[in-house]
Amino acid sequence: MTITRQVAERSTCPRAKVGAVIVRDRNILATGYNGAPAGVPHCTEVGCIIYESRAPTGENETNCYRSIHAEINAITQAAKNGAAIAGADIYVTHSPCIQCMKVLVNTGVRTVFYERPYKIETLGWLLETAKINLVRVIPPPADETGV
């Protein structure tokens, strides 16, 4: 998770710094963070393009058209570099949104390890039938030096 947090620092989305690391057999296959597509101005440069939608629960959600989520960026990096990720695991700073989780299911990722819950209540119906594990990783407490 330490590497995942470091990858998140590269995020160019001011709304959320999210990092993702895809791993198989203790080897990093790909990384991703929230940001605009390659060659496109980032939110930190020109601002977010926010839109609102309504969740099935009736709640309003806000999202950004400009930014690609960390999980999708990691998957595309793997594809671009020819790294097969079926059977791999992914570590993410936040639990995936429902859209990212559906893509992770289709790629054949085995387990999603996450540190902070994010809209986790939206994933229940998918996790009931999909062949993917979702595991929360609790960070160790900081020692007296704040590390």
Side-chain angles (χ1 to χ4, degrees):
M1 289 306 294
T2 301
I3 294 170
T4 305
R5 284 192 233 65
Q6 289 297 310
V7 170
E9 289 302 312
R10 293 187 48 99
S11 290
T12 58
C13 175
R15 296 171 32 124
K17 288 192 171 288
V18 180
V21 178
I22 301 175
V23 175
R24 184 186 306 106
D25 299 326
R26 301 178 59 107
N27 291 304
I28 294 173
L29 302 176
T31 63
Y33 53 87
N34 286 6
V40 175
H42 291 276
C43 297
T44 52
E45 300 167 335
V46 293
C48 295
I49 303 172
I50 302 297
Y51 69 95
E52 286 191 27
S53 61
R54 189 172 306 276
T57 61
E59 294 177 73
N60 279 343
E61 292 187 346
T62 59
N63 292 289
C64 179
Y65 274 124
R66 189 180 311 279
S67 189
I68 300 172
H69 288 187
E71 301 92 330
I72 303 302
N73 271 326
I75 292 166
T76 57
Q77 183 187 74
K80 185 177 178 180
N81 294 322
I85 61 172
D89 298 322
I90 188 168
Y91 291 80
V92 193
T93 54
H94 299 67
S95 59
C97 72
I98 187 63
Q99 301 300 334
C100 288
M101 185 59 95
K102 290 187 290 187
V103 172
L104 290 167
V105 167
N106 275 0
T107 63
V109 166
R110 290 182 318 178
T111 304
V112 176
F113 295 96
Y114 72 97
E115 194 169 79
R116 290 180 223 121
Y118 172 76
K119 298 182 182 180
I120 201 157
E121 65 282 354
T122 65
L123 304 177
W125 67 270
L126 181 60
L127 295 173
E128 289 173 6
T129 54
K131 295 190 176 3
I132 194 167
N133 298 307
L134 182 65
V135 178
R136 184 168 187 194
V137 176
I138 307 293
D143 64 18
E144 294 167 2
T145 63
V147 177

